[in-house]
Amino acid sequence: MNKRFKIIAAGLLATTLLAGCTKLEEEKFGSLSPDNYYANEQAALSSVVGVYQLLSYNVDIGDPWRMKEFSTDEFIVPGRASGGWYDQANVDLTNHKQDADNKTIARAWVNIFQEIGTANAVLESLQASPNKDKLKALIAETRALRAYGYFFAMDNWGNVPLVTVARIDPKDLPKTTARAEVYKFIETEMLAAVADLPSVKDVNRASYYPRFTKESVYTALAYMYLNAQVYTGTAQWQKVIDMCNNVINTGAYSLTAKAIDNFASPTQAASTEIISAFTKDPTQNAGNNQFILYTQNGLDRLRYNLPFGPANGYSTTQVALDKYEDQDVRKTMVQYGPQYYLDGTPLKYPNGTQLVLIPVQDIVAAQDNEGYKVLKYTPVGAKWSGFNADNDLILERYSNILLMKAEAIFRLSGSTTEAVALVNQVRTRSNATSLSSITLKILEDERAREFLWEGCRRTDMIRFGTFFTGTWAFKTGVTADFRKIYPIPNEQIKANPNLTQNTGY
């Protein structure tokens, strides 16, 4: 693992900005200005790292990730009978009843636009530097990072303000930009960035990790094209295939022996599957991974010899569990039923009762054992600083390339031999039964199995149509079509009356 990149991030708070725009009426998106020039690439990189850190909230346990996951069939956080965890804003997201005053959505907006604002400020200073000709790759990197932020904004809210400057005139606040126009901006920016970014084939993979390469951007474009019909009304299946082929044809990526190898701290460095990630190293004060803290039952302190007691919050559902065959290795990443120590001894409470995890029965006042747990970012082998682990956060994996290409081929040509073979590559790795043909439902379910808690389930469900018609856990009715995008927070509209609220809210 490249600790040097992490250590740069550790010193970032003292050297550059992390405050972007928290409200759109603020004049400054960041503290860098055209007067703050960079003497060399190393100095410039220290600022770009800050943009990476802010983008990581979209796959971290922060509000952007939570906001998306709460509305799906794979994530639930019940209030506990002890009084902890209950949050009406999250319950409303679970039930698809969110409104424009939802606090989780409001915080997610701030997080996402903070990353965009910070990218604007860094990009403006890079482009104003007298050394900009030597910083082309870093400028491209920052453009891609900003475009990624806008992708998450567009995906969540549809129509959003499109701002590309570090400072906003408070007398001329931005208006809402149509989703299709934001889509075009993201596409243009990412394609431009590709030209100046290195390919994974042209860098020392170990030392360059986890920075964006051409293949990182091709993967992002493939996923945006996969959802193009939702975003713009026009499907782009061939573009999905083209972007996936750009990654496949490098020959640089392959599936790891086990899916969990991409999430376990000791094996991430050697992964041939990780395309984009965010490094974390709390021992160097360079970010952290808190999935175990927020997810696991308190008894897991004993099971894994943790230096803290987990908070027993995040859980998954019976619907998510039931998608796996019993022999599917990925099912072992979900904790359900009777629980055991790593040596097979029953995991018991002090009173001698074994911990048995059951589905959530009460979303308001659940008992300690309600809620299945997802153990993707395994604590086994992790390094700890308090309750912070050093597992890197994964943004994109090669398995997504295979499944995106398979879906695009299917939507163009049906269940072809090539499409089925691509899906079977992913299934065979996890000992799932090989398929002889595929359907849209099979493709959706396979993505749900492979990418559990990786932040793409809501987008996938909307594309496949199940977000509106499906029922699960505590979401029992048909969802109105307008809820495929979230409301612009009322606090943002009050701050900037030029914004237009999304239809239905």
Side-chain angles (χ1 to χ4, degrees):
M1 189 70 64
N2 181 17
K3 297 295 182 184
R4 181 170 174 271
F5 191 82
K6 294 181 177 179
I7 293 169
I8 292 172
L12 181 68
L13 290 174
T15 60
T16 191
L17 72 155
L18 280 181
C21 65
T22 56
K23 292 182 184 291
L24 283 173
E25 84 277 15
E26 292 184 358
E27 180 180 2
K28 292 181 68 177
F29 264 48
S31 61
L32 289 181
S33 74
D35 297 327
N36 296 337
Y37 297 130
Y38 299 107
N40 52 54
E41 183 178 4
Q42 193 64 32
L45 179 59
S46 68
S47 290
V48 178
V49 170
V51 188
Y52 275 103
Q53 288 186 319
L54 291 169
L55 186 65
S56 75
Y57 292 163
N58 290 279
V59 293
D60 200 350
I61 56 173
D63 287 298
W65 181 84
R66 283 192 288 246
M67 175 184 66
K68 293 183 293 182
E69 288 288 339
F70 268 119
S71 63
T72 73
D73 61 356
E74 68 177 18
F75 187 74
I76 186 170
V77 180
R80 292 293 171 184
S82 61
W85 281 108
Y86 180 76
D87 188 328
Q88 187 62 49
N90 297 335
V91 172
D92 288 345
L93 283 164
T94 299
N95 292 323
H96 290 199
K97 295 180 179 179
Q98 69 276 359
D99 60 26
D101 290 314
N102 187 284
K103 297 302 182 184
T104 304
I105 294 175
R107 292 190 300 267
W109 175 284
V110 170
N111 288 159
I112 289 174
F113 278 93
Q114 184 181 25
E115 187 270 343
I116 292 169
T118 304
N120 281 335
V122 173
L123 187 59
E124 191 170 283
S125 287
L126 289 170
Q127 291 171 329
S129 170
N131 301 307
K132 66 179 181 180
D133 289 342
K134 299 178 181 179
L135 302 174
K136 287 183 178 180
L138 275 174
I139 290 172
E141 203 169 346
T142 309
R143 290 179 75 176
L145 287 163
R146 180 179 63 182
Y148 234 126
Y150 266 117
F151 169 76
F152 287 121
M154 177 198 66
D155 182 66
N156 287 312
W157 290 285
N159 314 303
V160 296
L162 185 56
V163 178
T164 58
V165 295
R167 297 171 183 267
I168 292 178
D169 182 352
K171 296 180 181 180
D172 185 24
L173 297 176
K175 297 179 180 180
T176 307
T177 303
R179 193 181 214 182
E181 189 175 339
V182 179
Y183 172 98
K184 186 63 179 177
F185 169 80
I186 297 167
E187 180 184 35
T188 300
E189 287 292 291
M190 286 193 171
L191 289 174
V194 162
D196 289 326
L197 283 171
S199 168
V200 68
K201 299 182 297 180
D202 300 326
V203 296
N204 182 310
R205 197 163 176 177
S207 62
Y208 194 81
Y209 170 90
R211 296 170 61 187
F212 280 4
T213 60
K214 292 182 186 295
E215 291 72 31
S216 302
V217 179
Y218 289 140
T219 306
L221 281 166
Y223 194 55
M224 189 172 75
Y225 290 142
L226 192 68
N227 296 284
Q229 193 163 22
V230 173
Y231 300 146
T232 70
T234 302
Q236 298 288 358
W237 308 122
Q238 185 57 52
K239 286 186 177 180
V240 176
I241 295 170
D242 293 342
M243 293 299 110
C244 290
N245 283 340
N246 286 341
V247 178
I248 293 170
N249 292 341
T250 65
Y253 298 99
S254 60
L255 299 179
T256 57
K258 298 177 182 178
I260 199 171
D261 291 344
N262 299 289
F263 302 91
S265 178
T267 51
Q268 288 179 309
S271 173
T272 57
E273 185 172 343
I274 296 174
I275 296 174
S276 303
F278 305 100
T279 55
K280 302 294 173 182
D281 190 351
T283 66
Q284 299 289 336
N285 193 31
N288 57 67
N289 186 318
Q290 295 183 346
F291 268 88
I292 297 302
L293 168 66
Y294 278 79
T295 299
Q296 298 307 115
N297 187 280
L299 285 181
D300 278 320
R301 179 174 190 171
L302 302 176
R303 179 176 3 204
Y304 298 108
N305 192 29
L306 301 174
F308 61 94
N312 196 23
Y314 300 171
S315 304
T316 195
T317 65
Q318 187 70 46
V319 170
L321 179 69
D322 287 345
K323 287 184 170 65
Y324 296 96
E325 299 173 292
D326 285 342
Q327 80 277 11
D328 191 326
V329 176
R330 294 170 296 190
K331 192 173 184 178
T332 63
M333 287 187 270
V334 182
Q335 294 178 332
Y336 62 96
Q339 298 299 294
Y340 302 88
Y341 283 94
L342 298 180
D343 65 1
T345 305
L347 182 62
K348 297 180 179 181
Y349 292 103
N351 65 6
T353 303
Q354 185 176 10
L355 173 61
V356 179
L357 297 178
I358 64 173
V360 174
Q361 307 294 309
D362 189 336
I363 197 172
V364 175
Q367 298 301 312
D368 178 75
N369 68 324
E370 292 181 32
Y372 299 152
K373 304 302 180 182
V374 175
L375 202 70
K376 239 172 187 176
Y377 290 106
T378 173
V380 177
K383 293 180 181 178
W384 298 92
S385 178
F387 45 68
N388 301 308
D390 71 337
N391 306 63
D392 291 347
L393 294 167
I394 306 305
L395 179 61
E396 288 291 357
R397 297 190 283 129
Y398 185 64
S399 58
N400 197 21
I401 289 292
L402 300 177
L403 292 182
M404 286 194 293
K405 183 178 179 180
E407 182 180 339
I409 292 173
F410 178 85
R411 290 185 184 270
L412 282 175
S413 306
S415 183
T416 67
T417 300
E418 183 181 12
V420 174
L422 289 166
V423 176
N424 278 335
Q425 281 189 57
V426 177
R427 291 179 61 80
T428 300
R429 185 257 296 271
S430 294
N431 198 39
T433 302
S434 292
L435 303 173
S436 57
S437 63
I438 55 176
T439 64
L440 283 179
K441 177 172 173 48
I442 287 173
L443 286 166
E444 181 187 5
D445 286 349
E446 190 58 34
R447 290 188 62 84
R449 286 185 284 266
E450 181 67 15
F451 304 118
L452 180 66
W453 282 22
E454 291 186 51
C456 58
R457 181 62 177 151
R458 170 184 164 274
T459 305
D460 289 349
M461 294 183 81
I462 290 171
R463 184 174 72 258
F464 285 103
T466 55
F467 188 78
F468 309 104
T469 59
T471 59
W472 57 85
F474 297 89
K475 187 265 183 181
T476 56
V478 174
T479 299
D481 185 71
F482 73 85
R483 293 191 183 277
K484 68 185 176 184
I485 55 177
Y486 290 125
I488 296 176
N490 273 336
E491 65 181 46
Q492 296 296 332
I493 293 178
K494 290 177 182 177
N496 177 8
N498 287 344
L499 299 179
T500 302
Q501 183 58 272
N502 288 323
T503 302
Y505 291 105

